[in-house]
């Protein structure tokens, strides 16, 4: 095979043999093949860099770690929500108890209707001094602050309840009233003619006559210090009311209490009779202050001021 080469400059032709062109063609073929192979290797190396197995494993590990962290976060969030629900329930229960205690104190203190209403929020106010953009506090901090306010309020109410309780105790131990439910005063305190010999004699108490077996009541709360027979008194009940006050109920037909018993105001302690130095059914009533007898009359008509 022969190849004819024509020159444009001289217009002449030259014949070239095929064995002389073969090396040139071979060079071009090898060059193109090298370029192709190099491109293939380059693309192959980029593909391996993109889908490298170690990178895939690393990414998968990160995904698994994030999924586990997300699950822990969800569990923690649910626990916090449940804890807040429990805390709110506790606060609600405490507020209910406070309202109940407040209503009780209002009743005990005999306050005017509407003067202190636990069902209404407290009234607040004041002049406007400009608004301040405040950062909302953390929800848990708000609950803690509310809890502290409730504790302070409960403490104040306990103190108030204690004071009212003391006031009630003072009212109960306040010596006042008649030692009988039915009957009339038959003899007063002071000098009188002795009913047995007619001589002038001192009478340490007042006498209330009535029906035999009728009730004798305590004029104040206290502790029984004597319950039995005593010379001249017959069957006697003696009650210590504290603050130096002692009352005596004599000539009883029957005693219904024992030494050491705690009695309340208006409790029946004995039944009217005529035991001891007596001319008929009645109760001899004495009031002693710091060991000395005083006129019971001022205590009979006494009105408690509590």
């Amino acid at each position: 095979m022969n190849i004819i080469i024509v020159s444009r400059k001289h217009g002449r032709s030259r014949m070239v043999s095929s064995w002389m062109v073969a090396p040139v063609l071979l060079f071009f073929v090898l060059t193109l093949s090298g370029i192709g192979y190099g491109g293939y290797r380059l693309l192959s190396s980029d593909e391996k860099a993109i889908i490298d197995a170690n990178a895939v494993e690393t990414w998968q590990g990160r995904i698994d770690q994030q999924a586990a962290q997300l699950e822990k976060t969800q569990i923690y969030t649910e626990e916090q929500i449940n804890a807040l629900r429990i805390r709110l329930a506790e606060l609600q229960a405490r507020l209910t108890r406070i309202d109940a205690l407040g209503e009780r104190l209002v009743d005990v203190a005999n306050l005017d209707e509407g003067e202190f209403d636990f069902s209404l929020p407290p009234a607040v106010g004041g002049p406007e001094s400009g608004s301040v953009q405040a950062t909302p506090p953390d929800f848990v901090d708000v609950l803690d602050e509310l809890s502290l306010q409730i504790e302070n309020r409960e403490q104040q109410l306990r103190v108030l309840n204690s004071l009212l309780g003391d006031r009630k105790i003072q009212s109960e131990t306040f010596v006042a009233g008649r030692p009988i439910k039915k009957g009339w005063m038959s003899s007063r305190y002071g000098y009188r003619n002795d009913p047995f010999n007619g001589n002038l004699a001192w009478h340490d108490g007042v006498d209330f006559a009535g029906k035999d077996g009728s009730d004798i009541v305590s004029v104040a709360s206290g502790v029984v210090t004597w319950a039995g027979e005593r010379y001249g008194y017959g069957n006697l009940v003696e009650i210590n009311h504290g603050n130096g006050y002692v009352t005596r109920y004599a000539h009883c037909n029957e005693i219904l209490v024992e030494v050491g018993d705690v009695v309340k105001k208006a409790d029946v302690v004995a039944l009217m009779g005529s035991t001891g130095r007596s001319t008929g059914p009645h109760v001899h009533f004495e009031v002693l202050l710091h060991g000395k007898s005083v006129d019971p009359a001022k205590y009979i008509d006494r009105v408690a001021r509590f």
Side-chain angles (χ1 to χ4, degrees):
M1 177 180 179
N2 295 322
I3 298 175
I4 299 174
I5 298 175
V6 179
S7 175
R8 291 183 177 179
K9 184 175 180 180
H10 303 283
R12 292 181 301 175
S13 63
R14 183 180 178 184
M15 183 175 295
V16 181
S17 177
S18 59
W19 63 268
M20 295 176 64
V21 179
V24 177
L25 293 176
L26 180 59
F27 172 77
F28 281 107
V29 170
L30 291 175
T31 300
L32 292 176
S33 298
I35 293 173
Y37 180 73
Y40 170 75
R41 292 292 296 175
L42 180 61
L43 292 176
S44 298
S45 61
D46 291 342
E47 182 180 0
K48 286 183 179 181
I50 295 175
I51 59 173
D52 183 70
N54 293 330
V56 172
E57 184 177 356
T58 301
W59 293 341
Q60 186 63 44
R62 291 180 180 177
I63 293 174
D64 294 340
Q65 184 179 5
Q66 292 175 355
Q69 186 66 30
L70 178 61
E71 184 179 359
K72 291 181 180 180
T73 302
Q74 290 176 343
I75 295 175
Y76 175 78
T77 303
E78 291 177 358
E79 291 177 350
Q80 292 299 311
I81 292 175
N82 291 332
L84 291 176
R85 289 174 180 172
I86 295 174
R87 188 70 177 276
L88 286 175
E90 292 176 352
L91 294 178
Q92 185 178 9
R94 292 173 65 181
L95 283 173
T96 301
R97 290 196 299 269
I98 288 177
D99 290 343
L101 177 58
E103 292 175 359
R104 175 191 169 194
L105 295 180
V106 169
D107 293 338
V108 171
N110 294 323
L111 298 177
D112 295 335
E113 184 177 358
E115 183 177 350
F116 198 87
D117 194 345
F118 275 82
S119 63
L120 298 177
V124 296
E128 184 177 1
S129 58
S131 60
V132 178
Q133 188 68 27
T135 303
D138 184 75
F139 187 50
V140 177
D141 293 339
V142 173
L143 288 178
D144 292 337
E145 182 179 357
L146 177 60
S147 178
L148 180 59
Q149 292 177 355
I150 291 176
E151 289 178 0
N152 293 335
R153 189 173 177 184
E154 284 180 334
Q155 183 178 3
Q156 293 174 357
L157 287 175
R158 283 195 297 268
V159 172
L160 179 58
N161 188 41
S162 177
L163 293 175
L164 291 176
D166 293 341
R167 194 172 81 173
K168 184 177 181 181
I169 291 175
Q170 293 177 4
S171 176
E172 288 289 330
T173 57
F174 187 75
V175 177
R178 291 156 56 96
I180 60 171
K181 294 181 178 180
K182 296 181 180 180
W184 65 95
M185 184 182 294
S186 57
S187 180
R188 294 185 177 275
Y189 176 85
Y191 285 102
R192 68 173 184 175
N193 292 326
D194 188 281
F196 290 94
N197 56 31
N199 297 327
L200 190 65
W202 180 260
H203 189 220
D204 277 331
V206 295
D207 295 337
F208 287 92
K211 184 178 179 180
D212 189 28
S214 58
D215 293 338
I216 299 174
V217 299
S218 175
V219 296
S221 299
V223 179
V224 178
T225 55
W226 185 281
E229 188 176 358
R230 181 181 289 188
Y231 177 76
Y233 289 96
N235 293 327
L236 172 69
V237 174
E238 183 179 270
I239 302 175
N240 190 321
H241 306 285
N243 297 321
Y245 282 100
V246 174
T247 56
R248 291 175 177 171
Y249 312 82
H251 308 302
C252 304
N253 181 23
E254 182 180 356
I255 296 175
L256 304 179
V257 293
E258 297 179 355
V259 174
D261 286 351
V262 176
V263 296
K264 297 181 179 179
K265 187 179 182 69
D267 280 355
V268 178
V269 296
L271 301 179
M272 188 179 294
S274 186
T275 59
R277 195 168 184 268
S278 172
T279 60
H282 75 286
V283 56
H284 173 80
F285 176 58
E286 289 185 13
V287 177
L288 290 86
L289 179 59
H290 301 299
K292 296 182 179 181
S293 66
V294 293
D295 189 356
K298 63 180 181 180
Y299 297 97
I300 293 172
D301 299 326
R302 199 178 188 187
V303 178
R305 296 180 180 178
F306 293 99

